[in-house]
Amino acid sequence: MQRKDFLKLGLAAAAGSLVPFRSGLAQALTGGGSKTKLSVKVMDLKLQYAWGLSRGTWTTRRNAFVKIERDGVAGLGEAAPIARYNENAEGAAAFFEKARPVLERDLWGYAVRWNELEALAPTEHAAKAALDMALLDWVGKKLQIPVWKLLGLNKDGALKTTYSIGIDEVPVMQEKIRAYPDFSVYKIKVGTKDDRKIIEGIRAVTSKPLRVDANEGWKTKEEALENINWMAGLGVEYVEQPMPAEMIQDFAWLKERSKLPIYADESLMKASDIPRIAPYFDGLNIKLMKCGGIQEAVRMVAMARALGLQLMIGCMVETSLAISAAAALTPLFDHADLDGNLLSATDPFKGVKTVKDQLVLNDKPGLGVEGSVW
Ligand code: MG
């Protein structure tokens, strides 16, 4: 500022007109120059194959999308809510509207905004995840840097992803393995009375390492132990959520006797769950849609590492928008299961690329995602 401008400012202050100058400065510092425009869309994603888990089978998934626009920059987010956690897309869309007053505040203060969003409802984790990724997308785009860089990570540390094979008739599961030959490790959904047939069927078509997810499908600790120790001789690396989340004491019994590491998925939502469940598991499956976003996932990583736990990052059925947000965090993890965009037949976004099975992050600002659902 020129000396004469300071003089003018002094005269203006003397004339009692400093208030507009102050509010202009505050806007420049906070990026709060304009009102936040909020756009919401609920959309069905058609799946490439019927998606079979121990708790049901789906041919479509319904996700909710959000766009926050301010000062000429748009931040995008996606919620993939599921019934297991008593959430749905309409509820997520309603939460976006409820969050409008928070999003009118300083978007640079994204950590404070997250706390305010968290305080709005005890649940709606998927909707919170969508808003958190939209905030970080906005901040990254304003700074013209990718979110992975904003988090202090290196994109060369991005992981390979598994490809998940949902429960189906064994020949169909075998066909999926043949259709996706480039993956180094497959994740096999089990939790049925035919699990041995499933694993033997998969083993008939590939000798690659497997990770197994029972999605709470084994109902007693004895059944879980028998299945796990049988799988230990068949190239299975670890097992996710063998029993229902509420059987926490039985997990202690199982961990003592299991020949394979056991990872918590449904037993875990957010950081505050970790101290309670840590003694019963070898690893955790962290998902943005369970914990409420990138910022909470980073806090969980720090806490889990301090407790000596292994870590995988997982997903729901999501487009490349939410998968790109999760992929940006993979340098912090041991394993990634980020194939939700590959399971969907329709993907309106382009972001992280899956080259064979390697997640490849780009250098574009924010989440590095292009495309729209509006
Ligand atoms: Mg799982």
Side-chain angles (χ1 to χ4, degrees), residues 187 189 213 215 240 265-266 285 287:
K187 172 161 150 175
K189 295 290 191 176
D213 189 357
N215 286 105
E240 244 180 83
D265 184 357
E266 284 85 345
N285 184 350
K287 294 177 182 170

Side-chain angles (χ1 to χ4, degrees), residues 68-90:
I68 53 177
E69 288 173 275
R70 188 140 161 188
D71 302 338
V73 168
L76 301 175
E78 176 179 3
I82 63 168
R84 170 64 181 78
Y85 304 116
N86 304 311
E87 295 183 356
N88 59 48
E90 281 69 21

Side-chain angles (χ1 to χ4, degrees), residues 31 37 55-56 63 75 101 139 143 179 221 240-241 246 264 313 331 334:
K37 186 182 170 210
R55 58 177 172 259
N63 288 3
V139 169
L143 294 171
K221 58 184 189 296
E240 244 180 83
Q241 198 70 36
E246 62 271 17
I313 183 162
D334 302 303

Side-chain angles (χ1 to χ4, degrees), residues 25-51:
L25 182 66
Q27 282 182 353
L29 288 173
T30 62
S34 64
K35 272 179 79 73
T36 301
K37 186 182 170 210
L38 189 68
S39 308
V40 176
K41 170 109 175 183
V42 170
M43 210 173 86
D44 286 329
L45 300 175
K46 199 172 172 319
L47 304 187
Q48 197 155 15
Y49 299 103
W51 179 234

Side-chain angles (χ1 to χ4, degrees), residues 116-193:
E116 292 163 350
L117 294 171
E118 175 69 358
L120 287 177
T123 57
E124 299 301 345
H125 303 98
K128 289 169 187 169
L131 291 170
D132 176 73
M133 74 180 78
L135 282 170
L136 287 170
D137 190 34
W138 186 90
V139 169
K141 284 171 176 167
K142 285 293 274 185
L143 294 171
Q144 285 293 300
I145 59 168
V147 165
W148 54 262
K149 191 173 272 189
L150 185 66
L151 298 170
L153 302 176
N154 186 333
K155 71 173 178 174
D156 297 336
L159 296 176
K160 293 181 171 191
T161 176
T162 45
Y163 182 74
S164 300
I165 311 291
I167 294 170
D168 212 317
E169 297 297 322
V170 171
V172 179
M173 296 178 78
Q174 290 175 323
E175 182 47 41
K176 290 179 192 173
I177 299 261
R178 289 195 198 98
Y180 287 85
D182 290 332
F183 289 77
S184 322
V185 183
Y186 294 96
K187 172 161 150 175
I188 313 298
K189 295 290 191 176
V190 295
T192 75
K193 57 180 181 0

